[in-house]
Amino acid sequence: MEDQRKHQIHTTPSDDGGWDIQEGGKKLSHHRTKEQAEKAGKREAIKARTELKIHNRDGKISDSISYGNDPYPPKG
C-alpha cells in the first residue's frame, strides 16, 4: 500500500513578521498571529492527513499533532 501522507505541515515564524504555514518547504499561507496560523495549519494537516508541527519564535518545534496515517500510532 502506498503511503498517502504528504509532507508535514509546519507553522513557522515569518522573516517579515507574523507566521507562515509551510508544506515541503513551500509557503501555503501567511497569518498575522500564531493562533491564526495554528488554526489554518490544523485545517491543512487534517486535509492532508498528516502531522502539524508548531514552531516557536526561535524555530524550535513546540508541539506536534498527528491527523491520520501515523506510522507509529500510540499503543493501547
Side-chain angles (χ1 to χ4, degrees):
M1 184 171 140
E2 185 178 327
D3 186 6
Q4 296 176 350
R5 187 172 66 172
K6 296 180 181 180
H7 292 97
Q8 298 166 340
I9 306 294
H10 293 259
T11 62
T12 59
S14 175
D15 293 337
D16 301 330
W19 295 82
D20 293 334
I21 303 301
Q22 297 185 12
E23 180 181 14
K26 178 183 171 193
K27 184 165 86 170
L28 300 178
S29 60
H30 178 79
H31 304 272
R32 197 170 51 83
T33 68
K34 185 176 182 180
E35 182 180 354
Q36 292 169 334
E38 286 180 18
K39 287 180 183 179
K42 179 180 178 179
R43 286 192 300 270
E44 290 294 333
I46 289 170
K47 186 169 57 172
R49 296 177 59 197
T50 190
E51 286 185 83
L52 172 63
K53 302 286 187 180
I54 301 170
H55 295 252
N56 289 326
R57 270 274 167 223
D58 64 6
K60 292 183 181 175
I61 296 173
S62 65
D63 203 2
S64 179
I65 307 164
S66 179
Y67 292 102
N69 274 344
D70 189 344
Y72 304 103
K75 295 179 181 179

